[in-house]
Amino acid sequence: HIEDVPWGLQLLRYPDLDSLLLCFQTILANTLKSQPQNIVEAVLSYLQIHYTESLTLQELSEHFYLSSAYLGQLIRKTTGKTFHTLLNDLRIEKAIQIGRRHSLYCNQRIAELVGFGDPNYFSKVFKAKYGMSFSEYRQKTLQSEHDCV
C-alpha cells in the first residue's frame, strides 16, 4: 500500500501523473538553479556522452528543465565559452583523437563521427581554431610523431 511508504501520503495529494511530474520537474529545476556549478558539470558530462548527436541549446535546456537563456548564460559565465563553441571545441578535440588513432579515415568520415553533419562546417570551425585545415594539422602531427621516433 502506498500509504505505508513514508512519502506515500504526499503522492496521494496529486490528482494525476502530470501534476506529480510537474512537481518533480519544479523541484529538480529549483535544486539545479541553486547550484550553478553542478549544472555546468552535469552539462559537460552530458556533452561528453552525447557530442556525436545533433544538439541544440534548447534541447539541452529542456533536458535539464531550465530555460535556454539561463543555461546559455550559465555555460558562458562558468566556462567562458558559448554553448556552440563549447560543443564545437569538444567535437574538434575528439576529431583530433580519432585522426591520430585512425590515419586512414578521411576527414569527412571523422567529421561525421564526432557530430558535424556538414564536413565543410567542420573544416571552417577547425581552421578558425587552429589556423590550418584538418588535413594540414594531421600531416604536421604525423610528421612530428615520425620525427620523434
Side-chain angles (χ1 to χ4, degrees):
H1 292 100
I2 196 161
E3 297 87 9
D4 297 333
V5 179
W7 41 264
L9 290 176
Q10 289 183 357
L11 289 178
L12 293 176
R13 292 188 305 164
Y14 298 97
D16 56 34
L17 188 57
D18 288 336
S19 299
L20 179 62
L21 182 58
L22 182 61
C23 177
F24 282 137
Q25 289 174 337
T26 304
I27 291 169
L28 177 61
N30 289 337
T31 301
L32 288 174
K33 284 180 184 174
S34 65
Q35 302 165 355
Q37 186 61 34
N38 292 350
I39 297 170
V40 175
E41 287 174 11
V43 166
L44 293 174
S45 294
Y46 184 88
L47 291 179
Q48 283 289 335
I49 296 167
H50 298 278
Y51 69 91
T52 61
E53 300 169 18
S54 174
L55 295 172
T56 66
L57 182 58
Q58 181 63 41
E59 292 167 340
L60 195 63
S61 65
E62 289 171 7
H63 179 80
F64 287 97
Y65 303 106
L66 301 166
S67 76
S68 58
Y70 176 73
L71 185 58
Q73 288 174 338
L74 199 55
I75 290 170
R76 187 175 189 123
K77 182 179 177 185
T78 307
T79 67
K81 298 177 180 181
T82 65
F83 164 73
H84 292 289
T85 301
L86 188 69
L87 180 58
N88 284 342
D89 285 354
L90 175 61
R91 287 174 170 168
I92 293 222
E93 176 186 313
K94 298 295 186 179
I96 289 170
Q97 291 171 4
I98 292 172
R100 285 187 176 140
R101 284 192 307 251
H102 303 283
S103 60
L104 298 179
Y105 281 16
C106 71
N107 294 351
Q108 182 176 350
R109 177 71 178 131
I110 293 172
E112 292 169 359
L113 287 173
V114 298
F116 282 101
D118 179 358
N120 293 326
Y121 181 64
F122 167 69
S123 297
K124 178 181 173 184
V125 170
F126 192 92
K127 190 163 193 164
K129 184 169 178 71
Y130 287 99
M132 65 180 83
S133 71
F134 187 55
S135 296
E136 292 169 329
Y137 181 89
R138 289 177 81 183
Q139 190 67 21
K140 282 188 177 190
T141 56
L142 185 63
Q143 182 62 43
S144 64
E145 288 173 3
H146 287 299
D147 291 346
C148 293
V149 177

